[in-house]
Amino acid sequence: MLTFIASILILIFGYMTYGKVVERIFGADDLRKTPAYTKQDGLDYSPMSWWKGSLIQLLNIAGLGPIFGAVLGALYGPVAFIWIVVGAIFAGAVHDYFAGMMSLRHKGAQYPTIVGKYLGKHAQVAINIISIALMILVAAAFTAGPAELIAQISPLTFTAAIVLVFFYLFIAALLPINKIIGKIYPFFGAVLLFMAVAIGFGMFFSFEQSIPNLTFENLHPEGLPIWPLLMVTISCGAISGFHSTQSPIIARTIKKETEGRKVFYGAMIGEGVITLIWAAAGMTFFGNAGGLQEAIAAGGAAGVVNEISQSTLGMLGGILAIFGVIILPITTGDTALRSSRMMLSELLSETTKLNFSGNKAKLLLVVPVAIPTFLLTQIDYSFLWRYVGWTNQVVATVMLWTAAVYLLKQAKFHWICSVPATFMTAVTATYIFYAPEGLGLDYSLSMVLGGLIWVVVIMWFVKRILQEKHQNYSNAPQPNVKEVSN
């Protein structure tokens, strides 16, 4: 119990202290006009109050990610608390802040465009493909789940439910941000917070067991290794590359730069709190990790959420669980579709030198991403989610390296980004070699190969540091030789 309470307090303290450090290093400046005003178009660029932006950002980046991921991560035991707290403060919130603020500084640019500017065109091409693929996977995964539940509780078939959900996604991805997202998503974000807080209080009064205190022991029933699986299982709530694709949506609505800490850094800390609550609930409600695993096997993560909600909050909990499993993923799906449309627009505009900002062009750009998304909804949900996990963390790692190079070029303290980038490089490299959805190699061999990739990336960044130092020295004014001799 003390570990859980301390974790919540540390997250809040991290926002109040480290969040200000990150903001100061970045150099937020309210004298700069934001894209919400300089490029105001009534569609994507539109000024919005920071509290609305914060709730929409929370809903966009969260959905059911911090709930389902936390439940699955709870199988490892209280060691998950450490990853959530440390990851959210020093990696995830930093990642989200720079993803949003760098987009804001670059006129609301999408994530791949920013990557291209600081890591080169080859990196931009690769991350464009990976990011759009991630958006399609997320939209498909967060559409199939709600449609399946709608089919279970209504006369609609699964296919009819998919069509219904897709109709909404299509419309929401095209309408101006202040028509649907700006009006009702703050309410949905508030519901997400209320749901988590209610479960949090319920743990103190309804659960038979108390929340376990910290132990470094791996409690996973199948003995799966903590490294690197925990860092991918719990992505939303600690660090998630999906957030870097969502932050530019809100970056185009920010009124002044100092609101960025509240919106981007703050929303990530809020998601960390939600993740802590659901991880603690998963560890506690079913008695032990074995009981939780049996519950997951019987009804999946959605079944676990439903059982905890109904048992803790009664009828209200059941309503919230159904609302959460249907509405929250749909809101993430539509912003994923919106982001992919924006990325495709920037990519085509840059490669063809044509203007894809008109309403007709936006309509056409939704189609190429909507079709594969619809087809993928016919595939098993668990299969989709596994691939969402590792592509998600690859995108996060690239964003952190992009931010590190940005700070390096600005001659600022790049370590706030390069250290978590180094850590996540080791995580993703090892995971891709070891995981079943990767190459499925032996664990020891995966550690060695992942370590080799890690060394190569470190050598690349050290080279960048030396290049920047040499360039700064070359550009510095040289003393006059005659004046020196005199």
Side-chain angles (χ1 to χ4, degrees):
M1 185 69 74
L2 290 176
T3 301
F4 172 72
I5 295 173
S7 297
I8 297 287
L9 293 176
I10 291 171
L11 278 177
I12 296 171
F13 183 73
Y15 167 75
M16 296 170 62
T17 55
Y18 197 67
K20 289 183 178 179
V21 171
V22 171
E23 180 184 55
R24 190 177 302 115
I25 291 172
F26 176 81
D29 181 6
D30 284 345
L31 295 179
R32 291 173 177 262
K33 281 192 173 182
T34 64
Y37 294 107
T38 60
K39 298 186 69 175
Q40 188 169 357
D41 63 0
L43 180 65
D44 295 323
Y45 295 87
S46 182
M48 189 183 297
S49 62
W50 72 263
W51 66 268
K52 275 189 177 182
S54 294
L55 287 172
I56 295 171
Q57 174 75 357
L58 177 64
L59 190 67
N60 287 356
I61 67 176
L64 286 180
I67 299 177
F68 284 4
V71 168
L72 296 173
L75 290 168
Y76 292 91
V79 69
F81 290 154
I82 299 176
W83 167 235
I84 295 167
V85 172
V86 175
I89 294 173
F90 297 104
V94 175
H95 167 281
D96 289 15
Y97 182 82
F98 275 88
M101 296 303 291
M102 288 177 67
S103 173
L104 186 148
R105 283 280 175 93
H106 292 84
K107 302 179 181 179
Q110 287 294 304
Y111 164 65
T113 301
I114 297 171
V115 171
K117 183 172 179 63
Y118 293 97
L119 300 188
K121 291 298 180 182
H122 294 300
Q124 181 177 357
V125 171
I127 211 64
N128 248 315
I129 296 170
I130 295 173
S131 297
I132 293 175
L134 175 60
M135 294 302 94
I136 291 171
L137 285 167
V138 168
F142 280 16
T143 300
E148 188 174 341
L149 185 56
I150 290 172
Q152 292 174 5
I153 64 175
S154 75
L156 294 176
T157 63
F158 175 73
T159 303
I162 283 286
V163 172
L164 178 65
V165 172
F166 245 82
F167 177 75
Y168 167 76
L169 295 186
F170 200 86
I171 297 300
L174 291 172
L175 285 176
I177 193 168
N178 58 1
K179 293 298 182 184
I180 293 181
I181 294 176
K183 290 186 182 299
I184 63 175
Y185 280 27
F187 169 73
F188 292 154
V191 169
L192 178 66
L193 282 173
F194 174 79
M195 187 177 177
V197 171
I199 295 297
F201 278 104
M203 284 190 291
F204 290 94
F205 304 105
S206 303
F207 290 13
E208 294 182 4
Q209 289 187 242
S210 61
I211 303 170
N213 284 324
L214 181 62
T215 173
F216 292 96
E217 182 183 358
N218 183 1
L219 301 181
H220 199 289
E222 296 179 11
L224 296 178
I226 292 174
W227 174 274
L229 299 187
L230 177 62
M231 292 76 189
V232 177
T233 302
I234 301 181
S235 53
C236 295
I239 177 172
S240 169
F242 177 68
H243 300 183
S244 64
T245 67
Q246 300 302 291
S247 293
I249 295 176
I250 305 303
R252 298 178 178 193
T253 70
I254 295 286
K255 291 183 176 180
K256 56 183 182 179
E257 289 196 352
T258 52
E259 292 178 349
R261 182 172 68 92
K262 301 173 186 176
V263 173
F264 301 118
Y265 199 99
M268 182 63 230
I269 294 299
E271 186 177 10
V273 172
I274 293 170
T275 308
L276 275 175
I277 290 171
W278 281 101
M283 294 175 202
T284 309
F285 185 82
F286 298 96
N288 52 46
L292 173 60
Q293 187 181 45
E294 291 176 5
I296 292 173
V304 169
V305 171
N306 186 44
E307 186 173 350
I308 292 175
S309 299
Q310 289 196 33
S311 299
T312 307
L313 304 174
M315 183 180 294
L316 174 62
I319 294 171
L320 285 175
I322 292 174
F323 181 87
V325 173
I326 292 177
I327 299 297
L328 297 181
I330 290 175
T331 60
T332 302
D334 73 37
T335 52
L337 209 59
R338 191 181 191 92
S339 294
S340 59
R341 184 258 292 168
M342 290 176 175
M343 289 179 191
L344 201 55
S345 174
E346 285 194 2
L347 175 63
L348 292 175
S349 296
E350 185 173 336
T351 54
T352 65
K353 306 304 179 184
L354 298 175
N355 184 9
F356 287 88
S357 60
N359 289 331
K360 289 182 179 179
K362 286 180 170 62
L363 176 62
L364 291 174
L365 291 177
V366 173
V367 175
V369 292
I371 291 175
T373 302
F374 181 82
L375 294 175
L376 283 173
T377 59
Q378 311 303 308
I379 297 176
D380 178 59
Y381 176 83
S382 60
F383 173 84
L384 287 174
W385 191 249
R386 288 201 303 270
Y387 283 90
V388 167
W390 74 261
T391 53
N392 194 20
Q393 298 304 61
V394 168
V395 169
T397 304
V398 174
M399 179 63 235
L400 283 171
W401 281 123
T402 303
V405 173
Y406 168 79
L407 290 175
L408 189 62
K409 285 182 172 293
Q410 298 286 325
K412 293 182 178 180
F413 192 74
H414 66 78
W415 299 104
I416 61 170
C417 292
S418 57
V419 169
T422 301
F423 178 84
M424 290 306 298
T425 299
V427 168
T428 53
T430 307
Y431 186 89
I432 290 171
F433 285 115
Y434 177 67
E437 58 272 21
L439 299 178
L441 301 180
D442 174 75
Y443 183 67
S444 298
L445 178 60
S446 300
M447 291 284 284
V448 172
L449 294 174
L452 290 175
I453 290 181
W454 180 80
V455 170
V456 170
V457 173
I458 295 302
M459 291 174 64
W460 160 80
F461 189 64
V462 169
K463 184 179 177 181
R464 289 297 298 259
I465 292 175
L466 296 176
Q467 287 175 343
E468 287 299 324
K469 285 185 176 180
H470 176 72
Q471 185 173 347
N472 290 338
Y473 176 77
S474 300
N475 293 337
Q478 301 297 316
N480 187 290
V481 176
K482 184 179 291 186
E483 289 180 357
V484 172
S485 61
N486 292 336

